[in-house]
Amino acid sequence: MKLVVAVVRDEVAGQLTEQLMVSGYSATKLASTGGFLRAGNSTFLIGVPAPQVDAVLGVIRQACPAKKGGGAVPAAKAVPGGSDPTEVQVGAATVFVLDVEKLLKV
Ligand code: 2BA
């Protein structure tokens, strides 16, 4: 058993939820906040048998296209007097795959 943890932009969260459900995967969506931009994002917890991880990653890739623009860098992170850009590229999804010892529903 594996736990896929996917951090995605809020704007694609609805689509990802829909695609996961249509594909038959159970998922939990958590409201989360990026540590860098301090902007809202969504974190999905998806528990699946190990052989299904690649299929879940495929659903995530399909539902979460890369974003053309980026998020504004918070003032606290800007370099004073520096020429750093005011925007950063936010990826399509940040995904962690963890081993799960047990899944219990008690
Ligand atoms: P944030 O932490 O708000 O980061 C938003 C974007 O800002 C990141 O996009 C990255 O392009 C940039 N960024 C983040 N930290 C930075 C830093 N120290 N210096 C310069 N630029 C930085 P993504 O990498 O696509 O990450 C999107 C969101 O995924 C993150 O939102 C965070 O919520 C989550 N995330 C990314 N990497 C993570 C990690 N290693 N552990 C936990 N969460 C992660």
Side-chain angles (χ1 to χ4, degrees):
M1 188 87 189
K2 299 282 185 179
L3 180 65
V4 179
V5 179
V7 183
V8 307
R9 302 189 310 273
D10 276 341
E11 69 211 55
V12 298
Q15 192 175 336
L16 179 55
T17 301
E18 179 70 23
Q19 289 302 314
L20 287 168
M21 294 305 112
V22 165
S23 303
Y25 298 111
S26 294
T28 297
K29 180 171 93 65
L30 306 174
S32 48
T33 304
F36 188 69
L37 294 179
R38 319 273 166 89
N41 52 28
S42 294
T43 299
F44 284 79
L45 306 180
I46 310 155
V48 288
Q52 294 179 20
V53 167
D54 286 345
V56 168
L57 296 178
V59 172
I60 293 171
R61 282 194 186 94
Q62 196 170 19
C64 306
K67 193 181 179 185
K68 293 190 181 95
V73 175
K77 299 287 184 181
V79 178
S83 60
D84 51 336
T86 56
E87 291 201 332
V88 294
Q89 184 74 31
V90 180
T94 299
V95 182
F96 306 85
V97 180
L98 291 72
D99 288 325
V100 173
E101 193 176 318
K102 275 183 192 169
L103 167 62
L104 301 174
K105 297 187 182 182
V106 295

